Amino acid sequence: NYQAALEGFLKIEKSGYVSSALFYNIGNTYFKMNEVGKSILYYERALKLDPSDKDVINNLQLARDFSLDKIEEIPDFILKTWMKEVNYSLSSDAWAYLSIISMALLALLLLMFRYGPTPKARKSSFFGAMAALLLIIFSVYFSWSQKHEYYKKDTAIVMKPVSTVKSSPDNSGNTLFILHEGTKVSLIEEIGQWKRVELTDGRQGWINSLDIEVI
């Protein structure tokens, strides 16, 4: 009974409870009810909370296969792609816990460096402390960046079956292209009830804010 399940999940969400598991289940329920746009929206919200969740990633890709728009993405610089993959290999909380463990390890290694019984032990402790310090820097940065990405409201999902993208923020503008339900767009600026959006292939235009929902 997907309708009853959905009502229960949405009631939990309206009460103020937020979790990746909740959004994941809402996305699954919408997908079973053939509401692809809403399923993609909630999978994206779940992914913002836990970017390393493989189940969410797989189901999001499955839902995207059912959307009509197949937009080619402009590939990122290889170093940026690699850093993103490393970042999202763990959740924000996991990186935070790793930074705390690394701090404790750094303190222990510094003590060994100060009071080590032999020069070799002190030398090894020094290099180990430098490695722990680097791990602290990267883990804190990755944890912060994921949290920062979560609070950003710069992406949205098209919720209407068909939506026109205009050359200017009004209905009199020329139609540049058409988007369908489930397509993800980046938000650039807002004028009144119109938002300038950008697709992953670099195309830009204005869309009515009523046609999209922010992730």
Side-chain angles (χ1 to χ4, degrees):
N1 191 336
Y2 296 117
Q3 184 60 46
L6 179 63
E7 291 173 0
F9 288 138
L10 293 179
K11 185 177 180 180
I12 295 173
E13 182 189 15
K14 289 178 181 178
S15 70
Y17 182 78
V18 173
S19 77
S20 178
L22 174 63
F23 291 155
Y24 174 65
N25 281 294
I26 294 175
N28 287 340
T29 309
Y30 273 128
F31 185 77
K32 289 291 187 179
M33 298 172 67
N34 296 317
E35 296 191 46
V36 176
K38 290 182 179 180
S39 70
I40 291 176
L41 174 67
Y42 276 92
Y43 286 145
E44 290 280 5
R45 287 175 174 174
L47 206 59
K48 288 186 74 172
L49 283 171
D50 187 1
S52 62
D53 193 317
K54 300 300 183 183
D55 290 332
V56 177
I57 294 171
N58 292 335
N59 284 22
L60 175 58
Q61 185 57 55
L62 178 63
R64 284 174 176 169
D65 290 340
F66 282 82
S67 62
L68 295 178
D69 295 327
K70 310 299 180 185
I71 301 171
E72 184 178 354
E73 295 188 23
I74 298 175
D76 289 327
F77 180 59
I78 187 170
L79 182 60
K80 182 179 179 180
T81 301
W82 180 79
M83 288 290 288
K84 187 175 181 180
E85 288 177 353
V86 174
N87 187 357
Y88 288 166
S89 64
L90 296 174
S91 67
S92 178
D93 287 345
W95 284 117
Y97 290 135
L98 182 59
S99 68
I100 294 173
I101 295 172
S102 300
M103 289 177 188
L105 179 61
L106 175 63
L108 179 61
L109 289 169
L110 289 175
L111 286 174
M112 290 181 63
F113 173 71
R114 177 66 178 81
Y115 300 106
T118 64
K120 184 177 180 179
R122 290 194 293 272
K123 184 177 180 180
S124 298
S125 299
F126 174 78
F127 288 111
M130 293 301 99
L133 180 60
L134 286 175
L135 187 57
I136 291 170
I137 294 172
F138 279 107
S139 57
V140 169
Y141 171 74
F142 287 151
S143 179
W144 172 85
S145 66
Q146 285 191 27
K147 184 177 180 181
H148 177 69
E149 285 294 321
Y150 173 74
Y151 284 107
K152 285 171 64 176
K153 301 296 182 182
D154 61 346
T155 53
I157 301 296
V158 177
M159 305 305 295
K160 294 290 184 66
V162 178
S163 181
T164 57
V165 179
K166 302 286 188 176
S167 60
S168 59
D170 53 65
N171 288 316
S172 62
N174 296 326
T175 298
L176 299 178
F177 49 89
I178 292 175
L179 296 177
H180 299 87
E181 181 182 7
T183 301
K184 184 178 180 179
V185 297
S186 297
L187 305 177
I188 300 176
E189 64 176 306
E190 179 178 2
I191 296 179
Q193 65 173 8
W194 293 85
K195 296 182 184 291
R196 187 157 70 95
V197 299
E198 183 178 32
L199 304 182
T200 53
D201 61 5
R203 287 181 292 167
Q204 294 186 7
W206 293 88
I207 191 171
N208 194 306
S209 59
L210 297 177
D211 293 358
I212 60 176
E213 188 163 346
V214 177
I215 297 174

